Every structure is written in C-alpha cells, then in structure tokens.
Amino acid sequence: GAGVSQSPRYKVTKRGQDVALRCDPISGHVSLYWYRQALGQGPEFLTYFNYEAQQDKSGLPNDRFSAERPEGSISTLTIQRTEQRDSAMYRCASSLYGEDDTEAFFGQGTRLTVV
Amino acid sequence: GNSVTQMEGPVTLSEEAFLTINCTYTATGYPSLFWYVQYPGEGLQLLLKATKADDKGSNKGFEATYRKETTSFHLEKGSVQVSDSAVYFCALSAQGAQKLVFGQGTRLTINP
C-alpha cells in the first residue's frame, strides 16, 4: 500500500480480554517496529523485526505481550489478559532497511482503551 | 542507557515568530538524530535528520544541527506559520537499527 496501515484505529476492550493489533507495512520494507505511546509522552520501543525474524523484544513490558510477523510482511501485536494500564496508542513503523539512519514511516496508530 | 530530553511545552507563538525547541540527548557511541512531527489526526512523520557531528538537517524551513560537544539537536525555524502547529518529537537511534528513543514531545501552537 501507499503507507503503513494499522487496524483497528480504535479498540475498546474489557479488562481480561485478549486483543490483536494489526500492522501492514509499506510493501518491500524489511524492518517493522512496534511502539507504545502514553498520553503526553513520546513513543516507547516495544519490539522489531527484520523480515520474519524478531530481532529485539526488549521493550515488551511483560509476557502478556507478544508479536509476530510470520511471512515477513503483516505483523500482529497481541496483548493477553488486558489490564487498564495497557491503555495507550500503539504505533507501528516500517523502514526499507534496519540501519539507524534510514527513515521510519509510521502508521496512524491504534488507540487501545481497556475498561 | 540512551535518552532524549526536550523542551517542555506547550509552546504558543504568533505567526512569523522565531522558533526554537531544545533537545539534548544521552547516548553511547554516535547516534543518528531525528525530529519527527505529528500533525493533528495524523501519524508521525520524519521532519529532518542528521547522522554525524556537525551535520545540519533541514526541511520545510526547519533546521537542526548535530552538536556532539553539547549533545544537542535543537530545532529552529526563522518564521513560523499557522500550519506548523503540531507536536514535535526529538529522537535518536543507535546500534545499527531504527530502535528510536523519543523525547516526550513539544506541542506547538501558532496563532495568526
């Protein structure tokens, strides 16, 4: 597609439910990143992939969070047994290569609210 | 660890005023530095970047110079417009990946 696409744009879920957030990167982009952004703060790194391989998951806050990118394109971030503290904007980005000076293109994000 | 500290907002200016948003960083090695902008209702967009000391990034009238001696990357624009109203994020990446570390963001409002 023309840009990074995330779905859903908004998700309201009850505490204890599982949620799956989807990211469709720019076609041909090797690297895909997930960030979480609390209100009034900058995004915080969660995890990233090169192709289908998860390169770094050091930012995932606990084992309720997981991510996959099975075919090296679309990625899913899953949060199990959601808690209110998981409420945030979840942002996905992709870049052509995983070098530190290449531009990352961000999607519009998924606003998750846990009630 | 790596970190970015940027000027707290919100910042409100009149059209055609001079803008500076301060950004300082802490990092091991030689990070790349970025300014991202988020316009209302949109995702983050890269505004400019610099990859080594003394480089100047520029775009849309905005400039920032990578100052290693002061570990700073301040954003400047000589004459702001109403359309520049947005949230601005300073960020760095290192270790050979786009694992960005962001500042907390500065909300800028330009009044006509």
Side-chain angles (χ1 to χ4, degrees), chain A residues 33 35 37 40 42-43 45 48 56 58 91 98-104 106 108, chain B residues 32 34 36 38 41 43-44 46 49 51 89 93-94 96-100 102-104:
Chain A
Y33 304 82
Y35 292 85
Q37 185 176 10
F45 170 81
Y48 91 94
D56 186 335
S58 62
R91 298 194 182 276
E99 300 300 320
D100 62 3
D101 62 347
T102 53
E103 180 176 356
F106 282 81
Q108 290 188 292
Chain B
S32 295
F34 306 83
Y36 277 83
Q38 183 178 8
L44 290 162
L46 179 65
K49 69 179 184 182
T51 58
F89 294 92
S93 70
Q98 269 284 335
K99 182 177 168 180
L100 293 164
F102 286 89
Q104 75 270 32

PDB file of all heavy atoms in Angstrom, chain A residues 33 35 37 40 42-43 45 48 56 58 91 98-104 106 108, chain B residues 32 34 36 38 41 43-44 46 49 51 89 93-94 96-100 102-104:
ATOM      1  N   TYR A  33       8.566  -2.125  13.173  1.00  0.00           N
ATOM      2  CA  TYR A  33       8.746  -1.756  14.575  1.00  0.00           C
ATOM      3  C   TYR A  33       7.393  -1.518  15.240  1.00  0.00           C
ATOM      4  O   TYR A  33       6.477  -0.983  14.619  1.00  0.00           O
ATOM      5  CB  TYR A  33       9.565  -0.458  14.684  1.00  0.00           C
ATOM      6  CG  TYR A  33      10.893  -0.511  13.992  1.00  0.00           C
ATOM      7  CD1 TYR A  33      10.988  -0.291  12.627  1.00  0.00           C
ATOM      8  CD2 TYR A  33      12.056  -0.802  14.688  1.00  0.00           C
ATOM      9  CE1 TYR A  33      12.202  -0.357  11.968  1.00  0.00           C
ATOM     10  CE2 TYR A  33      13.284  -0.858  14.048  1.00  0.00           C
ATOM     11  CZ  TYR A  33      13.348  -0.641  12.686  1.00  0.00           C
ATOM     12  OH  TYR A  33      14.558  -0.707  12.041  1.00  0.00           O
ATOM     13  N   TYR A  35       5.763   0.413  18.678  1.00  0.00           N
ATOM     14  CA  TYR A  35       5.975   1.352  19.770  1.00  0.00           C
ATOM     15  C   TYR A  35       4.667   1.526  20.533  1.00  0.00           C
ATOM     16  O   TYR A  35       3.580   1.323  19.988  1.00  0.00           O
ATOM     17  CB  TYR A  35       6.388   2.736  19.235  1.00  0.00           C
ATOM     18  CG  TYR A  35       7.752   2.783  18.593  1.00  0.00           C
ATOM     19  CD1 TYR A  35       7.921   2.439  17.257  1.00  0.00           C
ATOM     20  CD2 TYR A  35       8.877   3.172  19.310  1.00  0.00           C
ATOM     21  CE1 TYR A  35       9.170   2.469  16.669  1.00  0.00           C
ATOM     22  CE2 TYR A  35      10.135   3.215  18.729  1.00  0.00           C
ATOM     23  CZ  TYR A  35      10.262   2.860  17.400  1.00  0.00           C
ATOM     24  OH  TYR A  35      11.509   2.898  16.815  1.00  0.00           O
ATOM     25  N   GLN A  37       2.712   4.473  23.001  1.00  0.00           N
ATOM     26  CA  GLN A  37       2.770   5.878  23.376  1.00  0.00           C
ATOM     27  C   GLN A  37       1.677   6.208  24.381  1.00  0.00           C
ATOM     28  O   GLN A  37       0.491   6.144  24.053  1.00  0.00           O
ATOM     29  CB  GLN A  37       2.634   6.762  22.137  1.00  0.00           C
ATOM     30  CG  GLN A  37       2.795   8.249  22.418  1.00  0.00           C
ATOM     31  CD  GLN A  37       2.747   9.077  21.142  1.00  0.00           C
ATOM     32  OE1 GLN A  37       2.411   8.581  20.071  1.00  0.00           O
ATOM     33  NE2 GLN A  37       3.087  10.346  21.245  1.00  0.00           N
ATOM     34  N   GLY A  40       0.589  12.214  26.255  1.00  0.00           N
ATOM     35  CA  GLY A  40       1.523  13.257  26.681  1.00  0.00           C
ATOM     36  C   GLY A  40       2.979  12.843  26.708  1.00  0.00           C
ATOM     37  O   GLY A  40       3.840  13.606  27.160  1.00  0.00           O
ATOM     38  N   GLY A  42       6.350  10.589  24.588  1.00  0.00           N
ATOM     39  CA  GLY A  42       6.829  10.113  23.296  1.00  0.00           C
ATOM     40  C   GLY A  42       6.662   8.609  23.183  1.00  0.00           C
ATOM     41  O   GLY A  42       6.491   7.910  24.190  1.00  0.00           O
ATOM     42  N   PRO A  43       6.688   8.100  21.960  1.00  0.00           N
ATOM     43  CA  PRO A  43       6.580   6.650  21.780  1.00  0.00           C
ATOM     44  C   PRO A  43       7.738   5.913  22.454  1.00  0.00           C
ATOM     45  O   PRO A  43       8.865   6.412  22.484  1.00  0.00           O
ATOM     46  CB  PRO A  43       6.636   6.484  20.253  1.00  0.00           C
ATOM     47  CG  PRO A  43       6.234   7.808  19.700  1.00  0.00           C
ATOM     48  CD  PRO A  43       6.742   8.810  20.672  1.00  0.00           C
ATOM     49  N   PHE A  45       9.783   2.178  22.481  1.00  0.00           N
ATOM     50  CA  PHE A  45      10.041   0.980  21.684  1.00  0.00           C
ATOM     51  C   PHE A  45       9.528  -0.276  22.384  1.00  0.00           C
ATOM     52  O   PHE A  45       9.714  -0.454  23.599  1.00  0.00           O
ATOM     53  CB  PHE A  45      11.539   0.862  21.446  1.00  0.00           C
ATOM     54  CG  PHE A  45      11.981  -0.440  20.840  1.00  0.00           C
ATOM     55  CD1 PHE A  45      11.879  -0.647  19.473  1.00  0.00           C
ATOM     56  CD2 PHE A  45      12.493  -1.462  21.629  1.00  0.00           C
ATOM     57  CE1 PHE A  45      12.284  -1.851  18.906  1.00  0.00           C
ATOM     58  CE2 PHE A  45      12.900  -2.652  21.079  1.00  0.00           C
ATOM     59  CZ  PHE A  45      12.797  -2.850  19.708  1.00  0.00           C
ATOM     60  N   TYR A  48      11.047  -5.202  17.367  1.00  0.00           N
ATOM     61  CA  TYR A  48      11.157  -5.023  15.934  1.00  0.00           C
ATOM     62  C   TYR A  48      11.567  -6.302  15.221  1.00  0.00           C
ATOM     63  O   TYR A  48      12.119  -7.224  15.833  1.00  0.00           O
ATOM     64  CB  TYR A  48      12.052  -3.835  15.577  1.00  0.00           C
ATOM     65  CG  TYR A  48      13.519  -4.116  15.364  1.00  0.00           C
ATOM     66  CD1 TYR A  48      14.030  -4.359  14.080  1.00  0.00           C
ATOM     67  CD2 TYR A  48      14.408  -4.058  16.428  1.00  0.00           C
ATOM     68  CE1 TYR A  48      15.380  -4.554  13.889  1.00  0.00           C
ATOM     69  CE2 TYR A  48      15.761  -4.258  16.225  1.00  0.00           C
ATOM     70  CZ  TYR A  48      16.249  -4.504  14.962  1.00  0.00           C
ATOM     71  OH  TYR A  48      17.594  -4.697  14.759  1.00  0.00           O
ATOM     72  N   ASP A  56      14.572  -8.000  18.278  1.00  0.00           N
ATOM     73  CA  ASP A  56      14.721  -7.383  19.599  1.00  0.00           C
ATOM     74  C   ASP A  56      13.327  -7.246  20.200  1.00  0.00           C
ATOM     75  O   ASP A  56      12.456  -6.652  19.580  1.00  0.00           O
ATOM     76  CB  ASP A  56      15.381  -6.009  19.446  1.00  0.00           C
ATOM     77  CG  ASP A  56      15.713  -5.331  20.769  1.00  0.00           C
ATOM     78  OD1 ASP A  56      15.067  -5.640  21.792  1.00  0.00           O
ATOM     79  OD2 ASP A  56      16.599  -4.470  20.778  1.00  0.00           O
ATOM     80  N   SER A  58      13.119  -6.452  23.613  1.00  0.00           N
ATOM     81  CA  SER A  58      13.486  -5.972  24.942  1.00  0.00           C
ATOM     82  C   SER A  58      12.501  -4.963  25.518  1.00  0.00           C
ATOM     83  O   SER A  58      12.456  -4.758  26.732  1.00  0.00           O
ATOM     84  CB  SER A  58      14.891  -5.362  24.911  1.00  0.00           C
ATOM     85  OG  SER A  58      14.922  -4.239  24.039  1.00  0.00           O
ATOM     86  N   ARG A  91       1.752   2.185  18.077  1.00  0.00           N
ATOM     87  CA  ARG A  91       2.210   2.657  16.767  1.00  0.00           C
ATOM     88  C   ARG A  91       3.124   1.635  16.115  1.00  0.00           C
ATOM     89  O   ARG A  91       3.974   1.036  16.762  1.00  0.00           O
ATOM     90  CB  ARG A  91       2.949   3.979  16.904  1.00  0.00           C
ATOM     91  CG  ARG A  91       2.104   5.108  17.448  1.00  0.00           C
ATOM     92  CD  ARG A  91       2.777   6.435  17.238  1.00  0.00           C
ATOM     93  NE  ARG A  91       1.993   7.530  17.794  1.00  0.00           N
ATOM     94  CZ  ARG A  91       0.996   8.130  17.154  1.00  0.00           C
ATOM     95  NH1 ARG A  91       0.651   7.741  15.946  1.00  0.00           N
ATOM     96  NH2 ARG A  91       0.346   9.125  17.730  1.00  0.00           N
ATOM     97  N   GLY A  98      17.156  -1.976   8.131  1.00  0.00           N
ATOM     98  CA  GLY A  98      17.256  -1.776   9.570  1.00  0.00           C
ATOM     99  C   GLY A  98      18.445  -0.970   9.995  1.00  0.00           C
ATOM    100  O   GLY A  98      18.973  -1.175  11.076  1.00  0.00           O
ATOM    101  N   GLU A  99      18.900  -0.038   9.181  1.00  0.00           N
ATOM    102  CA  GLU A  99      20.030   0.808   9.563  1.00  0.00           C
ATOM    103  C   GLU A  99      19.560   1.989  10.378  1.00  0.00           C
ATOM    104  O   GLU A  99      18.432   2.459  10.228  1.00  0.00           O
ATOM    105  CB  GLU A  99      20.754   1.319   8.306  1.00  0.00           C
ATOM    106  CG  GLU A  99      21.304   0.215   7.426  1.00  0.00           C
ATOM    107  CD  GLU A  99      22.307  -0.656   8.153  1.00  0.00           C
ATOM    108  OE1 GLU A  99      23.118  -0.102   8.922  1.00  0.00           O
ATOM    109  OE2 GLU A  99      22.277  -1.876   7.967  1.00  0.00           O
ATOM    110  N   ASP A 100      20.443   2.513  11.233  1.00  0.00           N
ATOM    111  CA  ASP A 100      19.977   3.529  12.175  1.00  0.00           C
ATOM    112  C   ASP A 100      19.765   4.887  11.539  1.00  0.00           C
ATOM    113  O   ASP A 100      19.242   5.784  12.183  1.00  0.00           O
ATOM    114  CB  ASP A 100      20.902   3.625  13.394  1.00  0.00           C
ATOM    115  CG  ASP A 100      22.313   4.038  13.031  1.00  0.00           C
ATOM    116  OD1 ASP A 100      22.576   4.303  11.851  1.00  0.00           O
ATOM    117  OD2 ASP A 100      23.154   4.088  13.937  1.00  0.00           O
ATOM    118  N   ASP A 101      20.125   5.070  10.284  1.00  0.00           N
ATOM    119  CA  ASP A 101      19.892   6.379   9.685  1.00  0.00           C
ATOM    120  C   ASP A 101      18.816   6.345   8.599  1.00  0.00           C
ATOM    121  O   ASP A 101      18.614   7.323   7.895  1.00  0.00           O
ATOM    122  CB  ASP A 101      21.190   6.940   9.111  1.00  0.00           C
ATOM    123  CG  ASP A 101      21.761   6.067   8.002  1.00  0.00           C
ATOM    124  OD1 ASP A 101      21.296   4.923   7.854  1.00  0.00           O
ATOM    125  OD2 ASP A 101      22.661   6.532   7.288  1.00  0.00           O
ATOM    126  N   THR A 102      18.140   5.205   8.458  1.00  0.00           N
ATOM    127  CA  THR A 102      17.075   5.158   7.452  1.00  0.00           C
ATOM    128  C   THR A 102      15.762   5.626   8.056  1.00  0.00           C
ATOM    129  O   THR A 102      15.513   5.446   9.244  1.00  0.00           O
ATOM    130  CB  THR A 102      16.901   3.745   6.889  1.00  0.00           C
ATOM    131  OG1 THR A 102      16.732   2.824   7.974  1.00  0.00           O
ATOM    132  CG2 THR A 102      18.088   3.335   6.061  1.00  0.00           C
ATOM    133  N   GLU A 103      14.927   6.193   7.217  1.00  0.00           N
ATOM    134  CA  GLU A 103      13.676   6.773   7.685  1.00  0.00           C
ATOM    135  C   GLU A 103      12.684   5.701   8.052  1.00  0.00           C
ATOM    136  O   GLU A 103      12.487   4.742   7.316  1.00  0.00           O
ATOM    137  CB  GLU A 103      13.085   7.677   6.612  1.00  0.00           C
ATOM    138  CG  GLU A 103      11.766   8.327   7.024  1.00  0.00           C
ATOM    139  CD  GLU A 103      11.241   9.287   5.988  1.00  0.00           C
ATOM    140  OE1 GLU A 103      11.942   9.516   4.977  1.00  0.00           O
ATOM    141  OE2 GLU A 103      10.130   9.821   6.182  1.00  0.00           O
ATOM    142  N   ALA A 104      12.064   5.866   9.194  1.00  0.00           N
ATOM    143  CA  ALA A 104      10.954   5.009   9.605  1.00  0.00           C
ATOM    144  C   ALA A 104       9.651   5.712   9.275  1.00  0.00           C
ATOM    145  O   ALA A 104       9.472   6.885   9.571  1.00  0.00           O
ATOM    146  CB  ALA A 104      11.036   4.716  11.101  1.00  0.00           C
ATOM    147  N   PHE A 106       5.652   5.832   9.862  1.00  0.00           N
ATOM    148  CA  PHE A 106       4.715   5.423  10.904  1.00  0.00           C
ATOM    149  C   PHE A 106       3.293   5.349  10.375  1.00  0.00           C
ATOM    150  O   PHE A 106       2.881   6.157   9.532  1.00  0.00           O
ATOM    151  CB  PHE A 106       4.751   6.416  12.067  1.00  0.00           C
ATOM    152  CG  PHE A 106       5.925   6.248  12.977  1.00  0.00           C
ATOM    153  CD1 PHE A 106       7.162   6.776  12.641  1.00  0.00           C
ATOM    154  CD2 PHE A 106       5.801   5.543  14.166  1.00  0.00           C
ATOM    155  CE1 PHE A 106       8.254   6.620  13.485  1.00  0.00           C
ATOM    156  CE2 PHE A 106       6.889   5.383  15.008  1.00  0.00           C
ATOM    157  CZ  PHE A 106       8.116   5.917  14.668  1.00  0.00           C
ATOM    158  N   GLN A 108      -0.915   5.410  11.495  1.00  0.00           N
ATOM    159  CA  GLN A 108      -1.687   6.356  12.299  1.00  0.00           C
ATOM    160  C   GLN A 108      -1.934   5.856  13.709  1.00  0.00           C
ATOM    161  O   GLN A 108      -2.385   6.615  14.557  1.00  0.00           O
ATOM    162  CB  GLN A 108      -3.004   6.674  11.601  1.00  0.00           C
ATOM    163  CG  GLN A 108      -2.803   7.506  10.336  1.00  0.00           C
ATOM    164  CD  GLN A 108      -4.118   7.965   9.758  1.00  0.00           C
ATOM    165  OE1 GLN A 108      -4.896   7.156   9.261  1.00  0.00           O
ATOM    166  NE2 GLN A 108      -4.372   9.252   9.821  1.00  0.00           N
TER     167      GLN A 108
ATOM    168  N   SER B  32      22.340   8.498  15.426  1.00  0.00           N
ATOM    169  CA  SER B  32      21.683   9.369  14.460  1.00  0.00           C
ATOM    170  C   SER B  32      20.577  10.117  15.192  1.00  0.00           C
ATOM    171  O   SER B  32      19.962   9.584  16.112  1.00  0.00           O
ATOM    172  CB  SER B  32      21.092   8.551  13.312  1.00  0.00           C
ATOM    173  OG  SER B  32      22.116   7.923  12.576  1.00  0.00           O
ATOM    174  N   PHE B  34      17.045  12.728  15.017  1.00  0.00           N
ATOM    175  CA  PHE B  34      15.867  12.980  14.190  1.00  0.00           C
ATOM    176  C   PHE B  34      14.930  13.970  14.881  1.00  0.00           C
ATOM    177  O   PHE B  34      14.878  14.047  16.106  1.00  0.00           O
ATOM    178  CB  PHE B  34      15.064  11.683  13.976  1.00  0.00           C
ATOM    179  CG  PHE B  34      15.856  10.541  13.416  1.00  0.00           C
ATOM    180  CD1 PHE B  34      16.613   9.732  14.249  1.00  0.00           C
ATOM    181  CD2 PHE B  34      15.827  10.261  12.055  1.00  0.00           C
ATOM    182  CE1 PHE B  34      17.339   8.667  13.733  1.00  0.00           C
ATOM    183  CE2 PHE B  34      16.550   9.195  11.536  1.00  0.00           C
ATOM    184  CZ  PHE B  34      17.306   8.403  12.381  1.00  0.00           C
ATOM    185  N   TYR B  36      10.793  14.309  14.494  1.00  0.00           N
ATOM    186  CA  TYR B  36       9.537  13.847  13.911  1.00  0.00           C
ATOM    187  C   TYR B  36       8.437  14.844  14.282  1.00  0.00           C
ATOM    188  O   TYR B  36       8.488  15.485  15.330  1.00  0.00           O
ATOM    189  CB  TYR B  36       9.169  12.465  14.442  1.00  0.00           C
ATOM    190  CG  TYR B  36       9.858  11.328  13.728  1.00  0.00           C
ATOM    191  CD1 TYR B  36      11.149  10.937  14.074  1.00  0.00           C
ATOM    192  CD2 TYR B  36       9.224  10.639  12.693  1.00  0.00           C
ATOM    193  CE1 TYR B  36      11.788   9.906  13.409  1.00  0.00           C
ATOM    194  CE2 TYR B  36       9.850   9.601  12.029  1.00  0.00           C
ATOM    195  CZ  TYR B  36      11.130   9.242  12.389  1.00  0.00           C
ATOM    196  OH  TYR B  36      11.748   8.220  11.725  1.00  0.00           O
ATOM    197  N   GLN B  38       4.086  15.416  14.377  1.00  0.00           N
ATOM    198  CA  GLN B  38       2.764  14.791  14.323  1.00  0.00           C
ATOM    199  C   GLN B  38       1.729  15.888  14.180  1.00  0.00           C
ATOM    200  O   GLN B  38       1.456  16.642  15.128  1.00  0.00           O
ATOM    201  CB  GLN B  38       2.494  13.971  15.586  1.00  0.00           C
ATOM    202  CG  GLN B  38       1.172  13.253  15.560  1.00  0.00           C
ATOM    203  CD  GLN B  38       0.947  12.416  16.798  1.00  0.00           C
ATOM    204  OE1 GLN B  38       1.712  12.467  17.762  1.00  0.00           O
ATOM    205  NE2 GLN B  38      -0.098  11.641  16.782  1.00  0.00           N
ATOM    206  N   GLY B  41      -4.419  14.465  13.993  1.00  0.00           N
ATOM    207  CA  GLY B  41      -5.108  13.378  13.303  1.00  0.00           C
ATOM    208  C   GLY B  41      -4.234  12.532  12.401  1.00  0.00           C
ATOM    209  O   GLY B  41      -4.752  11.660  11.688  1.00  0.00           O
ATOM    210  N   GLY B  43      -0.285  10.391  11.615  1.00  0.00           N
ATOM    211  CA  GLY B  43       0.813   9.659  12.235  1.00  0.00           C
ATOM    212  C   GLY B  43       2.071  10.500  12.289  1.00  0.00           C
ATOM    213  O   GLY B  43       2.129  11.602  11.769  1.00  0.00           O
ATOM    214  N   LEU B  44       3.101   9.955  12.905  1.00  0.00           N
ATOM    215  CA  LEU B  44       4.393  10.634  12.978  1.00  0.00           C
ATOM    216  C   LEU B  44       5.041  10.682  11.605  1.00  0.00           C
ATOM    217  O   LEU B  44       5.033   9.693  10.871  1.00  0.00           O
ATOM    218  CB  LEU B  44       5.325   9.897  13.939  1.00  0.00           C
ATOM    219  CG  LEU B  44       4.970   9.960  15.415  1.00  0.00           C
ATOM    220  CD1 LEU B  44       5.684   8.860  16.175  1.00  0.00           C
ATOM    221  CD2 LEU B  44       5.325  11.304  15.981  1.00  0.00           C
ATOM    222  N   LEU B  46       8.719  11.954   9.564  1.00  0.00           N
ATOM    223  CA  LEU B  46      10.078  12.458   9.704  1.00  0.00           C
ATOM    224  C   LEU B  46      10.148  13.883   9.173  1.00  0.00           C
ATOM    225  O   LEU B  46       9.730  14.167   8.053  1.00  0.00           O
ATOM    226  CB  LEU B  46      11.055  11.578   8.933  1.00  0.00           C
ATOM    227  CG  LEU B  46      12.515  12.026   8.990  1.00  0.00           C
ATOM    228  CD1 LEU B  46      13.059  11.924  10.403  1.00  0.00           C
ATOM    229  CD2 LEU B  46      13.358  11.197   8.024  1.00  0.00           C
ATOM    230  N   LYS B  49      16.751  14.964   9.715  1.00  0.00           N
ATOM    231  CA  LYS B  49      17.653  14.089  10.437  1.00  0.00           C
ATOM    232  C   LYS B  49      19.100  14.526  10.212  1.00  0.00           C
ATOM    233  O   LYS B  49      19.409  15.270   9.279  1.00  0.00           O
ATOM    234  CB  LYS B  49      17.494  12.646   9.984  1.00  0.00           C
ATOM    235  CG  LYS B  49      17.982  12.373   8.565  1.00  0.00           C
ATOM    236  CD  LYS B  49      17.816  10.900   8.206  1.00  0.00           C
ATOM    237  CE  LYS B  49      18.407  10.621   6.826  1.00  0.00           C
ATOM    238  NZ  LYS B  49      18.213   9.194   6.424  1.00  0.00           N
ATOM    239  N   THR B  51      23.106  12.545  10.777  1.00  0.00           N
ATOM    240  CA  THR B  51      23.687  11.253  11.132  1.00  0.00           C
ATOM    241  C   THR B  51      25.091  11.343  11.720  1.00  0.00           C
ATOM    242  O   THR B  51      25.609  10.332  12.206  1.00  0.00           O
ATOM    243  CB  THR B  51      23.716  10.326   9.914  1.00  0.00           C
ATOM    244  OG1 THR B  51      24.473  10.957   8.884  1.00  0.00           O
ATOM    245  CG2 THR B  51      22.310  10.055   9.414  1.00  0.00           C
ATOM    246  N   PHE B  89       8.691  15.830  18.040  1.00  0.00           N
ATOM    247  CA  PHE B  89       9.421  14.854  18.832  1.00  0.00           C
ATOM    248  C   PHE B  89      10.867  14.792  18.364  1.00  0.00           C
ATOM    249  O   PHE B  89      11.134  14.581  17.178  1.00  0.00           O
ATOM    250  CB  PHE B  89       8.821  13.449  18.682  1.00  0.00           C
ATOM    251  CG  PHE B  89       7.446  13.287  19.248  1.00  0.00           C
ATOM    252  CD1 PHE B  89       6.327  13.485  18.453  1.00  0.00           C
ATOM    253  CD2 PHE B  89       7.263  12.925  20.574  1.00  0.00           C
ATOM    254  CE1 PHE B  89       5.053  13.332  18.968  1.00  0.00           C
ATOM    255  CE2 PHE B  89       6.000  12.765  21.099  1.00  0.00           C
ATOM    256  CZ  PHE B  89       4.889  12.971  20.293  1.00  0.00           C
ATOM    257  N   SER B  93      18.607   7.224  17.290  1.00  0.00           N
ATOM    258  CA  SER B  93      18.727   5.789  17.087  1.00  0.00           C
ATOM    259  C   SER B  93      20.194   5.439  17.068  1.00  0.00           C
ATOM    260  O   SER B  93      21.043   6.232  16.673  1.00  0.00           O
ATOM    261  CB  SER B  93      18.050   5.335  15.803  1.00  0.00           C
ATOM    262  OG  SER B  93      18.755   5.772  14.676  1.00  0.00           O
ATOM    263  N   ALA B  94      20.480   4.239  17.507  1.00  0.00           N
ATOM    264  CA  ALA B  94      21.863   3.786  17.583  1.00  0.00           C
ATOM    265  C   ALA B  94      21.878   2.271  17.424  1.00  0.00           C
ATOM    266  O   ALA B  94      20.847   1.632  17.254  1.00  0.00           O
ATOM    267  CB  ALA B  94      22.473   4.199  18.921  1.00  0.00           C
ATOM    268  N   GLY B  96      22.820   0.437  15.088  1.00  0.00           N
ATOM    269  CA  GLY B  96      22.553  -0.123  13.780  1.00  0.00           C
ATOM    270  C   GLY B  96      21.116  -0.493  13.513  1.00  0.00           C
ATOM    271  O   GLY B  96      20.821  -1.343  12.699  1.00  0.00           O
ATOM    272  N   ALA B  97      20.182   0.148  14.186  1.00  0.00           N
ATOM    273  CA  ALA B  97      18.776  -0.173  13.954  1.00  0.00           C
ATOM    274  C   ALA B  97      17.926   1.049  14.211  1.00  0.00           C
ATOM    275  O   ALA B  97      18.320   1.967  14.910  1.00  0.00           O
ATOM    276  CB  ALA B  97      18.326  -1.313  14.871  1.00  0.00           C
ATOM    277  N   GLN B  98      16.739   1.074  13.658  1.00  0.00           N
ATOM    278  CA  GLN B  98      15.808   2.166  13.867  1.00  0.00           C
ATOM    279  C   GLN B  98      14.998   1.953  15.143  1.00  0.00           C
ATOM    280  O   GLN B  98      13.802   2.105  15.151  1.00  0.00           O
ATOM    281  CB  GLN B  98      14.861   2.278  12.662  1.00  0.00           C
ATOM    282  CG  GLN B  98      15.362   3.214  11.601  1.00  0.00           C
ATOM    283  CD  GLN B  98      15.175   4.657  12.006  1.00  0.00           C
ATOM    284  OE1 GLN B  98      14.315   4.983  12.808  1.00  0.00           O
ATOM    285  NE2 GLN B  98      15.996   5.534  11.481  1.00  0.00           N
ATOM    286  N   LYS B  99      15.736   1.619  16.192  1.00  0.00           N
ATOM    287  CA  LYS B  99      15.109   1.446  17.505  1.00  0.00           C
ATOM    288  C   LYS B  99      15.139   2.831  18.125  1.00  0.00           C
ATOM    289  O   LYS B  99      16.058   3.192  18.838  1.00  0.00           O
ATOM    290  CB  LYS B  99      15.926   0.454  18.309  1.00  0.00           C
ATOM    291  CG  LYS B  99      15.395   0.112  19.673  1.00  0.00           C
ATOM    292  CD  LYS B  99      16.311  -0.960  20.292  1.00  0.00           C
ATOM    293  CE  LYS B  99      16.013  -1.145  21.755  1.00  0.00           C
ATOM    294  NZ  LYS B  99      16.907  -2.180  22.337  1.00  0.00           N
ATOM    295  N   LEU B 100      14.142   3.625  17.787  1.00  0.00           N
ATOM    296  CA  LEU B 100      14.153   5.033  18.149  1.00  0.00           C
ATOM    297  C   LEU B 100      13.870   5.242  19.632  1.00  0.00           C
ATOM    298  O   LEU B 100      13.000   4.588  20.201  1.00  0.00           O
ATOM    299  CB  LEU B 100      13.107   5.786  17.323  1.00  0.00           C
ATOM    300  CG  LEU B 100      13.401   5.863  15.814  1.00  0.00           C
ATOM    301  CD1 LEU B 100      12.152   6.264  15.049  1.00  0.00           C
ATOM    302  CD2 LEU B 100      14.517   6.849  15.558  1.00  0.00           C
ATOM    303  N   PHE B 102      12.623   8.338  21.888  1.00  0.00           N
ATOM    304  CA  PHE B 102      11.965   9.629  21.697  1.00  0.00           C
ATOM    305  C   PHE B 102      12.004  10.474  22.965  1.00  0.00           C
ATOM    306  O   PHE B 102      11.981   9.954  24.090  1.00  0.00           O
ATOM    307  CB  PHE B 102      10.488   9.426  21.333  1.00  0.00           C
ATOM    308  CG  PHE B 102      10.246   8.946  19.938  1.00  0.00           C
ATOM    309  CD1 PHE B 102      10.214   7.595  19.655  1.00  0.00           C
ATOM    310  CD2 PHE B 102      10.008   9.848  18.909  1.00  0.00           C
ATOM    311  CE1 PHE B 102       9.972   7.148  18.356  1.00  0.00           C
ATOM    312  CE2 PHE B 102       9.757   9.420  17.621  1.00  0.00           C
ATOM    313  CZ  PHE B 102       9.744   8.066  17.346  1.00  0.00           C
ATOM    314  N   GLY B 103      12.012  11.786  22.761  1.00  0.00           N
ATOM    315  CA  GLY B 103      11.695  12.703  23.835  1.00  0.00           C
ATOM    316  C   GLY B 103      10.193  12.708  24.081  1.00  0.00           C
ATOM    317  O   GLY B 103       9.436  12.024  23.381  1.00  0.00           O
ATOM    318  N   GLN B 104       9.764  13.508  25.022  1.00  0.00           N
ATOM    319  CA  GLN B 104       8.356  13.463  25.423  1.00  0.00           C
ATOM    320  C   GLN B 104       7.446  14.261  24.506  1.00  0.00           C
ATOM    321  O   GLN B 104       6.224  14.186  24.629  1.00  0.00           O
ATOM    322  CB  GLN B 104       8.187  13.956  26.882  1.00  0.00           C
ATOM    323  CG  GLN B 104       8.316  15.457  27.066  1.00  0.00           C
ATOM    324  CD  GLN B 104       9.745  15.878  27.335  1.00  0.00           C
ATOM    325  OE1 GLN B 104      10.705  15.281  26.866  1.00  0.00           O
ATOM    326  NE2 GLN B 104       9.882  16.935  28.127  1.00  0.00           N
TER     327      GLN B 104
END
